[in-house]
């Protein structure tokens, strides 16, 4: 499973409930302009998640204007969120591991965060082993393999230090 807006929203809601507008803002804060999504896409994802039983919508908070309903994870949503964050395998790209890591460091519970890091490290090491040799390669194929090895090395270092970036309150559960 690749990074989708629905999975991203489920992870964001794992940390705390929020309106679709707040989820849109948090998405932008975490991913920046490179992965900006339109508020209408967030609203559509919230609707799909509610229909599938992964979130519930509650009456708007009195302090929030414009009658924005509050999105909250259901147990099914929490299971899907955890399964997705921990579901790193050989088919998971380095970019997807990175994006999930940004979400995990921000919003995952401690157990899920540790499982994400462990599964990611196992996967990156497997990917490194499958591309360990440049012998017999030339041109673009050699350059691509060299890049993949360097990316895997950098991702490994990043994963080892990721816990240091967590909010101490979030890391405690």
């Amino acid at each position: 499973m690749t990074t989708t807006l629905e999975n991203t929203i489920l992870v964001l809601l794992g940390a705390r409930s929020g309106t679709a507008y707040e989820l849109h803002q948090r998405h932008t804060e975490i991913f920046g302009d490179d992965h900006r999504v339109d508020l209408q896409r967030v609203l559509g994802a919230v609707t799909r998640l509610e229909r599938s039983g992964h979130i519930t919508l509650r009456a708007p908070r009195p302090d929030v204007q414009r009658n924005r309903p509050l999105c909250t994870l259901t147990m099914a949503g929490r299971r899907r969120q955890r399964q997705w964050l921990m579901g790193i395998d050989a088919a998971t790209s380095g970019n997807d591991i990175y994006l999930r890591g940004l979400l995990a460091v921000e919003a995952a519970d401690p157990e899920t965060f540790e499982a994400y890091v462990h599964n990611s490290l196992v996967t990156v090491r497997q990917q490194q082993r499958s591309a360990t040799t440049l012998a017999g390669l030339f041109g673009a194929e050699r350059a691509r393999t060299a890049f993949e090895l360097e990316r895997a090395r950098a991702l490994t270092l990043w994963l080892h230090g990721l816990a240091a970036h967590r909010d101490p309150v979030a890391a405690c559960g």
Side-chain angles (χ1 to χ4, degrees), residues 12-137:
L12 294 175
L13 289 172
R16 65 181 182 275
S17 298
T19 66
Y21 181 76
E22 290 167 337
L23 293 167
H24 177 258
Q25 288 180 311
R26 288 170 59 200
H27 185 283
T28 301
E29 289 167 7
I30 292 170
F31 295 116
D33 289 335
D34 289 346
H35 297 279
R36 182 176 291 282
V37 296
D38 184 78
L39 179 58
Q40 292 302 316
R41 285 192 56 214
V42 173
L43 290 167
V46 163
T47 299
R48 288 187 297 279
L49 288 168
E50 182 190 25
R51 285 183 190 149
S52 67
H54 291 106
I55 66 171
T56 59
L57 298 179
R58 294 189 314 205
R61 296 187 308 228
D63 62 326
V64 178
Q65 298 176 357
R66 298 189 204 158
N67 295 327
R68 295 179 179 149
L70 191 64
C71 306
T72 305
L73 272 183
T74 63
M75 288 306 292
R78 189 163 301 283
R79 278 191 302 275
R80 177 176 162 182
Q81 175 240 59
R82 292 185 66 165
Q83 179 184 19
W84 177 74
L85 269 178
M86 296 186 299
I88 307 291
D89 60 26
T92 308
S93 71
N95 189 56
D96 200 44
I97 291 172
Y98 166 71
L99 294 175
R100 289 185 203 199
L102 292 177
L103 290 164
V105 80
E106 184 72 21
D109 64 82
E111 181 182 326
T112 303
F113 177 80
E114 292 300 323
Y116 156 79
V117 170
H118 172 77
N119 294 348
S120 295
L121 285 168
V122 167
T123 297
V124 171
R125 286 183 190 123
Q126 289 171 343
Q127 291 170 348
Q128 280 178 301
R129 279 193 293 275
S130 69
T132 54
T133 182
L134 296 175
L137 301 178

